[in-house]
Amino acid sequence: MPESDDLFVREDPIFTNKELLEISHLPDGGRIVGRDEEISHLANAVNPAILGQSPSNVLIYGKTGTGKSLCAKYISRRLVETAEEEGITAVFAYVDCAQDTTETQAVQTIASSVNTEATDIYIPDKGISTATYYKRLWRLLNEAYDVALIILDEIDKLEDDAILMQLSRAGEAGKVTDCKIGVMGISNKIKYKDRMDERVKSSLCEREFVFPPYDASQLNKIMTARSDAFREGVLEDAVIPRAAALAAREHGDARKAIDILRYAGEIAQTRGTETVREEFVVQARERAEVDRFRELIRGSTPHSRYVLQALTVLSLEQQRENDVENGGFRTTRIYDVYEQICRQEGTDALSLRRVRDLLKEHAFLDILEQTRHSGGSAEGSYTEHTLLEDPEVVKNVLEDTVE
């Protein structure tokens, strides 16, 4: 094949800076839209760190895509910069607790993040005890910093509260004497605090903030602020408003809105068109929905998937029968199908009570909707569960994620 072939595109006709549309991208403050009040509250909570004092410990709640992690990282970065101007040496460490679920993994990540070439402290990936990781972390903080902010994202994914106990009480226990520690916990689960150890709760939950979903106007502004990811003139005028309306109607999720915009651009690339058209948005939304759902069930247990599979089977049957009168299914009916799936998989079924808990978890993630009904004195009250996702999408993703 000759060297000057057309296998690769040398100049992207659609995007100029696609990184602006990546979820991992941390935008400048001017690009964070619709979170002025939340940013102000967070800044107020950690402001004592600028003076070399202890920042407040913070818990941030909100559904996926509401800007929690974005704002926490932004505030932490600004804190480090402003503290330096005041002669205070500050640092922040970010831990994705969905990846680092154990105490050892989390403390290793923190220690690695705050370590510098200027120290003679070695933080290996593995091979030393949890206690040794802590000793090296405390030594690092005492020797190198006045203030440290620790962001624990998806904090509810931690196996236990051990690291929360250590971080929140390090100063009180005399393990860290020359550095003030603040913890920012981030969770999608509004009731996460209820399952915390009481001792941790008393020291960690100093300030709590709830991030609401974005509305269509905010989502429009968020995407407009990132529209320079595209070449000038390639976006049809209706593309961003349509993407914002779709995302706001379903989830108020900025991640999904940005995904839709990026995917619409990629569809334009694939088709070789010169513009990103409004018609591409609907196709992009379908792709984003699959990716979003796959992300929601990432790391879920087999039985969590079996419960969801049971509801999906019932929803597909209802769809085939064109039964629109009853959109939901009782817990007991779902449990019967779940038991059949467990037998097919050669595993013991969980209790009905545990299945109820798994259904509640799916409801929290907006995968399904729960409706409470009163059946009168003869029947009593009961709950019906309705799948919010397209059952075909759920079926395909569940098949793709079989372990």
Side-chain angles (χ1 to χ4, degrees):
M1 184 177 290
E3 292 184 6
S4 58
D5 59 65
D6 296 327
L7 181 60
F8 299 105
V9 176
R10 298 177 185 273
E11 187 175 63
D12 193 326
I14 301 296
F15 297 101
T16 56
N17 186 5
K18 199 174 180 180
E19 181 185 338
L20 295 176
L21 301 175
E22 297 294 333
I23 296 303
S24 58
H25 177 69
L26 182 61
D28 298 330
R31 291 182 186 270
I32 299 179
V33 176
R35 288 293 177 253
D36 292 348
E37 184 177 342
E38 287 79 6
I39 287 174
S40 178
H41 288 324
L42 285 176
N44 179 264
V46 300
N47 195 83
I50 304 299
L51 307 175
Q53 301 169 7
S54 297
S56 296
N57 293 320
V58 173
L59 273 178
I60 306 171
Y61 304 102
K63 293 184 178 181
T64 301
T66 52
K68 305 182 300 298
S69 304
L70 185 69
C71 291
K73 289 179 181 178
Y74 171 70
I75 284 296
S76 299
R77 186 178 67 185
R78 287 289 306 275
L79 174 72
V80 171
E81 295 169 352
T82 308
E84 184 179 3
E85 295 171 2
E86 298 298 321
I88 301 296
T89 304
V91 69
F92 81 90
Y94 174 83
V95 182
D96 180 357
C97 300
Q99 298 294 323
D100 298 324
T101 59
T102 70
E103 179 186 15
T104 303
Q105 290 170 335
V107 70
Q108 192 278 336
T109 295
I110 296 168
S112 294
S113 298
V114 303
N115 202 8
T116 68
E117 294 180 359
T119 74
D120 60 352
I121 301 172
Y122 175 54
I123 308 294
D125 291 337
K126 55 185 178 180
I128 61 176
S129 67
T130 305
T132 303
Y133 276 125
Y134 275 120
K135 287 178 182 177
R136 296 186 186 185
L137 172 61
W138 305 144
R139 183 180 158 200
L140 272 169
L141 295 178
N142 278 323
E143 291 183 5
Y145 303 104
D146 300 310
V147 177
L149 270 182
I150 312 298
I151 302 174
L152 298 173
D153 204 351
E154 295 198 64
I155 191 173
D156 48 273
K157 298 291 179 63
L158 287 171
E159 288 185 353
D160 53 45
D161 293 343
I163 192 166
L164 305 181
M165 181 76 75
Q166 291 283 351
L167 292 174
S168 63
R169 300 191 168 231
E172 179 184 330
K175 295 171 182 175
V176 177
T177 55
D178 299 321
C179 178
K180 309 297 184 184
I181 299 176
V183 177
M184 281 191 184
I186 303 172
S187 176
N188 295 333
K189 302 183 187 300
I190 196 75
K191 294 183 178 180
Y192 164 69
K193 188 178 76 170
D194 295 345
R195 61 185 229 216
M196 269 187 184
D197 182 287
E198 287 299 324
R199 294 168 298 172
V200 174
K201 193 185 299 185
S202 66
S203 56
L204 194 64
C205 304
E206 294 176 343
R207 304 282 289 274
E208 297 178 45
F209 304 109
V210 177
F211 280 44
Y214 292 104
D215 60 30
S217 175
Q218 291 171 326
L219 292 172
N220 198 318
K221 291 176 182 177
I222 287 169
M223 286 186 282
T224 299
R226 300 193 186 206
S227 61
D228 49 341
F230 296 88
R231 291 194 176 279
E232 188 174 352
V234 304
L235 282 178
E236 285 190 355
D237 291 342
V239 166
I240 286 179
R242 184 68 183 278
L246 285 174
R249 185 178 68 192
E250 297 177 4
H251 305 288
D253 184 336
R255 291 187 183 187
K256 182 175 179 181
I258 293 169
D259 279 345
I260 290 173
L261 191 59
R262 186 178 73 254
Y263 290 154
E266 291 174 355
I267 290 170
Q269 278 182 321
T270 303
R271 298 196 175 185
T273 64
E274 295 180 354
T275 58
V276 182
R277 303 172 187 165
E278 183 183 356
E279 66 192 73
F280 297 161
V281 173
V282 175
Q283 300 165 40
R285 176 254 173 201
E286 293 172 358
R287 180 176 164 186
E289 189 65 25
V290 171
D291 285 356
R292 172 187 172 274
F293 181 66
R294 184 176 283 111
E295 179 66 19
L296 283 176
I297 66 170
R298 175 177 61 90
S300 62
T301 65
H303 284 276
S304 180
R305 291 196 293 275
Y306 298 157
V307 169
L308 191 55
Q309 184 181 344
L311 178 56
T312 304
V313 167
L314 291 168
S315 300
L316 286 169
E317 287 178 355
Q318 184 184 76
Q319 201 174 69
R320 284 192 292 269
E321 294 168 3
N322 294 318
D323 181 3
V324 295
E325 291 184 7
N326 184 7
F329 302 94
R330 295 194 187 191
T331 309
T332 50
R333 190 174 176 192
I334 295 171
Y335 188 76
D336 289 341
V337 179
Y338 159 76
E339 285 187 310
Q340 294 173 21
I341 293 170
C342 287
R343 284 194 292 271
Q344 292 169 5
E345 296 294 333
T347 185
D348 294 332
L350 301 176
S351 67
L352 179 60
R353 181 177 179 179
R354 180 62 185 129
V355 166
R356 283 197 185 98
D357 291 340
L358 292 174
L359 286 166
K360 287 179 183 177
E361 290 179 12
H362 288 312
F364 179 84
L365 294 173
D366 282 335
I367 294 172
L368 59 88
E369 183 177 60
Q370 295 183 315
T371 308
R372 193 75 174 161
H373 296 275
S374 176
S377 57
E379 197 173 5
S381 60
Y382 59 91
T383 302
E384 285 190 341
H385 312 269
T386 306
L387 194 62
L388 296 177
E389 306 284 344
D390 183 335
E392 285 291 347
V393 169
V394 178
K395 176 176 176 288
N396 292 335
V397 173
L398 286 172
E399 289 174 351
D400 289 344
T401 55
V402 172
E403 293 183 340

